[in-house]
Structure formats: structure tokens, C-alpha cells
Amino acid sequence: TPRALVIVPTRELAVQVSDDLAHAASLTPVRVTTIYGGRPYEEQLAALQQGVDVVVGTPGRIMDHLDKGTLDLSQLRFLVLDEADEMLKMGFAEDVETILAATPEDKHVALFSATMPAQIRRISQKYLTDALEITVERTTTTAPNITQRHLFVSYPQKVEALTRILEVENFEAMIVFVRTKMGADRVAAELREQGVMAAALHGGLNQGQRNRVLSAFKDGRVIDRDKSPTAYANVAGINDDFAPLH
């Protein structure tokens, strides 16, 4: 049975955390598995049945395994809630409380949250015992090798302004953050109409579609090598569902 459980809000963050844990545990016999929706249930079930020390998962898939009796948390010693405020925004508060209720009372709990809304504070007061609150203050929000600039334009002019920037900036790849899933689709479509090779990435895509977009973006396969880089660029439009994605 697992001794540690890490709960994260998104599939992408689950994979990232698992990779980091596997790297950190490469010199020790610690078994890490990841459970999240969008992947075959049988693969994750087989990993759990073989025995695992650390489980990293999203609330929905963790609940599925608890309901089916395929995840035993009775021996859990450590529990981590990562991006707790994001889980609250995505409507996972009730699932998280159900999962917490299925764990031993004497476990160690760590809760990470960029903000501390009232509901997250209530959960922490309910499930954390003799807790220590650590607040990290940033001296700067920008890395020293990043230059920030901003332009004030009206909403209808945003894509046109972005297109003009793409025409004059020399770059290999670009990420455009937008507010909604529909906005990501719209911006990507309008950029393609302007001759920019763009793809949207958001929570409305299934896992296979997400993986294809990320792979194409990472490998630069959406760039037309025979065209000018100012006319054809590698651009991904990402909406706020991916705020935890590093």
C-alpha cells in the first residue's frame, strides 16, 4: 500500500511531479506511479497492484480507484495537496475532502497554495494538526533574463496587434496565454488565417490531442522550414486551465 499521496489539479502537473519524484528517488528503491484521467485505467491498476510507495494523482481518478477499492490509503504516512487553490477553482474541493477523510488521522500533511482563500484555510484547519504556516515573499516576479513590455489595445485589435509583433520579432517559438478555452481556439484559428502556424492547448482537448500539440510545439514540427520564420511561427495558445503547468 502507498505510504505517500500527492494530489494535484491537472494531468500535466501530475506527470511533472511524478517525473521529479522518480528522478529524486533514482538512487533509492522508491516506487512512484501516476493516476489521472485520459490514460488507460488498466495500466494504472496494474501499477497499483504491483505495489507502490508514492501515488501522484488528480482528484477524479483517485476517487475512481477509492470507489472501486483498488487504492488502499489505510497505511498512508504522508499527504501533499499541491496547487490547492487551483483545485478549489476547478471544483475539486468536495473530492479532496472525501479523499482526506479516507486517510489515517496520524499522517503528515503538507498543503501548497499560491493564495489562501477561506475554503482552503478551512480545509487546512480541519485536516492539519498543529500546522506551521510558511509564507514566501517574492522580491521580484520576473527572472533577470526576461524583459517585460506591454501594449494597451482594444479587444477587437488584440489579434491584429499580436500578428504585427510576430512579423517583427525574431523568435523560434512563442506561447500566447488567453483567458478561456474558446479564446484559445479563436486566437489560434485567426493566427492560422494570417499564415502563422498555431495550435490551441486547453482543458477541452483529450489527452491524446494535448500530447500531440505539446510534442509538435516542443519538436518544432509545426514550423514550415521553407518559409520565413516571421511569416510561419511555432505558436501555442494556452488558456488558464494550464496555470499550474511549469
Side-chain angles (χ1 to χ4, degrees):
T1 57
R3 297 304 177 94
L5 174 66
V6 182
I7 308 175
V8 297
T10 67
R11 307 165 184 174
E12 289 72 22
L13 188 55
V15 172
Q16 178 187 337
V17 171
S18 293
D19 289 344
D20 288 342
L21 286 174
H23 177 72
S26 59
L27 300 179
T28 60
V30 176
R31 298 161 297 179
V32 181
T33 193
T34 315
I35 57 176
Y36 56 88
R39 294 289 297 172
Y41 186 87
E42 293 74 15
E43 293 180 6
Q44 299 171 4
L45 177 60
L48 291 173
Q49 291 176 335
Q50 291 173 5
V52 62
D53 299 298
V54 183
V55 171
V56 182
T58 53
R61 184 51 64 94
I62 293 173
M63 288 284 293
D64 287 344
H65 282 283
L66 287 176
D67 291 341
K68 292 180 172 61
T70 53
L71 178 60
D72 182 3
L73 300 180
S74 63
Q75 303 301 315
L76 202 70
R77 302 299 302 157
F78 303 95
L79 188 144
V80 177
L81 294 174
D82 197 9
E83 301 280 4
D85 52 348
E86 289 298 325
M87 283 191 275
L88 177 62
K89 291 179 184 178
M90 297 170 70
F92 289 135
E94 185 175 343
D95 288 348
V96 169
E97 291 206 54
T98 300
I99 295 169
L100 286 168
T103 60
E105 293 185 1
D106 60 345
K107 61 187 176 298
H108 295 279
V109 180
L111 184 150
F112 296 93
S113 185
T115 60
M116 190 62 72
Q119 191 169 6
I120 293 296
R121 188 170 291 278
R122 181 184 62 80
I123 292 175
S124 68
Q125 292 171 346
K126 181 177 180 180
Y127 292 100
L128 275 65
T129 303
D130 192 24
L132 176 65
E133 182 175 345
I134 301 174
T135 302
V136 179
E137 294 185 0
R138 293 184 179 182
T139 57
T140 178
T141 58
T142 305
N145 61 339
I146 293 178
T147 300
Q148 289 193 5
R149 291 175 291 176
H150 65 274
L151 299 174
F152 289 103
V153 297
S154 64
Y155 182 83
Q157 296 175 320
K158 281 187 175 182
V159 175
E160 181 181 353
L162 176 59
T163 304
R164 294 193 178 189
I165 292 173
L166 298 178
E167 291 174 348
V168 299
E169 291 289 341
N170 184 22
F171 65 94
E172 294 183 359
M174 181 178 293
I175 299 177
V176 179
F177 287 91
V178 296
R179 188 169 60 88
T180 65
K181 301 172 186 177
M182 292 181 62
D185 287 332
R186 180 183 59 81
V187 171
E190 293 187 16
L191 287 176
R192 288 194 296 269
E193 291 179 0
Q194 299 296 324
V196 179
M197 303 297 290
L201 180 65
H202 53 68
L205 304 178
N206 61 43
Q207 191 62 37
Q209 292 171 322
R210 295 186 194 185
N211 290 340
R212 285 192 292 273
V213 171
L214 288 172
S215 295
F217 182 72
K218 179 179 178 181
D219 299 339
R221 287 183 280 111
V222 297
I223 298 178
D224 190 336
R225 302 297 184 181
D226 297 327
K227 302 293 183 179
S228 167
T230 58
Y232 289 85
N234 186 13
V235 180
I238 300 182
N239 84 313
D240 287 345
D241 288 348
F242 287 78
L245 182 62
H246 299 283

